[in-house]
């Protein structure tokens, strides 16, 4: 799967509810997605909604040879019903040099195994968690993400490098970027008592309220 220079690419193994939701949300965030499952019906069902859909049995020795995992920015492994397939997919991704591998686990034993073979992040959620993880994967500067309504989001975001040393008044975030800053987190402490003239420091994060149509502006 070839990609444009600025486009991120991901492979999603397992097209259950979690895998499907994370694949579709990654697509909605303008990423390229290869969706993979051994079930032909699941692959056919998601094919119109992703960049590429591939039927592969991850337990087969040479299953990964033609997938081009080395070109991926991340791999998401969601096949909790088959430990062997999950292990092989994680190991194949790490051997291919994929910088970020997220694996879905269903119990403490599976989590420990995934840690030992190199998974970078391990989660246990179902559909809602899949949506949040997809957004957090693509938006690397997002710390957390909450849906307040169908349109409004509350996001904790690391202060951008360009903001360091500048104040809320100088940045005019509401006027220029449609961001309503609700709180500041500094040295682990959260405060809503914001001084508009206080400069941001490296390591700060802010909680902002934003309409979802402006979220793409935060990705950089």
């Amino acid at each position: 799967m070839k990609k444009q220079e600025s486009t991120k690419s991901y492979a999603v193994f397992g097209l259950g509810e979690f895998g499907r939701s994370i694949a579709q949300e990654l697509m909605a965030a303008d990423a390229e997605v290869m969706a993979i499952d051994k079930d032909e019906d699941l692959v056919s069902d998601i094919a119109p909604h992703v960049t590429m859909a591939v039927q592969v049995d991850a337990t087969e020795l040479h299953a990964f040879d033609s997938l081009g995992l080395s070109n991926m920015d991340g791999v998401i492994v969601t096949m909790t019903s088959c430990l062997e397939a999950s292990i092989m997919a994680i190991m194949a991704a790490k051997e291919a040099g994929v910088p970020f591998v997220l694996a879905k686990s269903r119990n403490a034993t599976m989590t420990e195994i995934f840690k030992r073979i190199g998974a970078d992040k391990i989660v246990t959620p179902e559909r809602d968690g899949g949506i949040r993880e997809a957004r957090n994967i693509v938006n690397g500067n997002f710390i957390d993400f909450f849906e307040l309504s169908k349109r409004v989001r509350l996001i904790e975001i690391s202060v951008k490098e360009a903001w360091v040393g500048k104040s809320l008044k100088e940045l005019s975030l509401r006027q220029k970027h449609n961001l309503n800053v609700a709180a500041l987190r500094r040295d682990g402490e959260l405060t809503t008592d914001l001084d508009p003239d206080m400069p941001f420091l490296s390591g700060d994060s802010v909680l902002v309220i934003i309409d979802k149509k402006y979220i793409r502006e935060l990705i950089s």
Side-chain angles (χ1 to χ4, degrees):
M1 184 169 69
K2 294 183 178 179
K3 63 177 180 176
Q4 299 177 359
E5 286 297 321
S6 60
T7 303
K8 292 184 178 181
S9 295
Y10 300 92
V12 178
F13 285 89
L15 300 176
E17 191 164 5
F18 180 87
R20 185 181 178 89
S21 67
I22 205 168
Q24 292 178 328
E25 199 66 29
L26 286 168
M27 287 293 297
D30 295 334
E32 292 186 348
V33 177
M34 178 189 294
I36 304 159
D37 201 285
K38 70 175 182 179
D39 187 311
E40 183 179 0
D41 291 337
L42 292 177
V43 171
S44 298
D45 194 40
I46 202 171
H49 308 291
V50 295
T51 310
M52 182 183 298
V54 184
Q55 183 184 6
V56 165
D57 184 347
T59 62
E60 294 181 357
L61 186 59
H62 299 290
F64 309 96
D65 292 352
S66 62
L67 296 180
L69 295 184
S70 61
N71 297 318
M72 299 296 168
D73 294 289
V75 166
I76 298 89
V77 179
T78 76
M79 304 171 291
T80 53
S81 62
C82 183
L83 179 59
E84 180 185 358
S86 295
I87 290 172
M88 291 186 70
I90 294 168
M91 292 179 66
K94 298 311 291 185
E95 288 172 4
V98 177
F100 179 78
V101 177
L102 181 147
K104 181 189 173 190
S105 169
R106 64 181 180 186
N107 55 49
T109 300
M110 189 174 282
T111 296
E112 184 61 29
I113 292 170
F114 292 168
K115 284 180 181 177
R116 293 192 180 198
I117 61 175
D120 298 289
K121 186 171 183 179
I122 302 165
V123 296
T124 56
E126 288 300 331
R127 183 180 181 278
D128 290 342
I131 291 174
R132 179 179 291 183
E133 290 301 331
R135 290 168 176 164
N136 287 339
I137 288 167
V138 172
N139 308 323
N141 54 338
F142 283 24
I143 296 172
D144 216 338
F145 188 111
F146 303 93
E147 296 186 359
L148 300 182
S149 71
K150 288 184 178 180
R151 289 184 55 187
V152 181
R153 308 293 185 255
L154 174 66
I155 300 169
E156 183 171 1
I157 181 174
S158 299
V159 166
K160 299 186 179 186
E161 187 176 344
W163 298 358
V164 174
K166 297 180 181 178
S167 66
L168 282 172
K169 184 181 292 185
E170 290 176 286
L171 291 167
S172 300
L173 295 178
R174 181 178 297 177
Q175 292 79 10
K176 294 181 179 179
H177 302 289
N178 302 289
L179 296 179
N180 294 294
V181 179
L184 169 73
R185 192 186 303 277
R186 177 172 292 173
D187 298 327
E189 296 295 325
L190 191 67
T191 180
T192 58
D193 187 13
L194 302 177
D195 180 351
D197 294 309
M198 180 181 66
F200 286 121
L201 303 179
S202 179
D204 286 352
S205 64
V206 287
L207 274 73
V208 299
I209 298 172
I210 184 173
D211 190 293
K212 69 176 184 179
K213 66 184 177 182
Y214 299 120
I215 287 179
R216 292 296 303 168
E217 298 179 20
L218 290 179
I219 305 173
S220 61

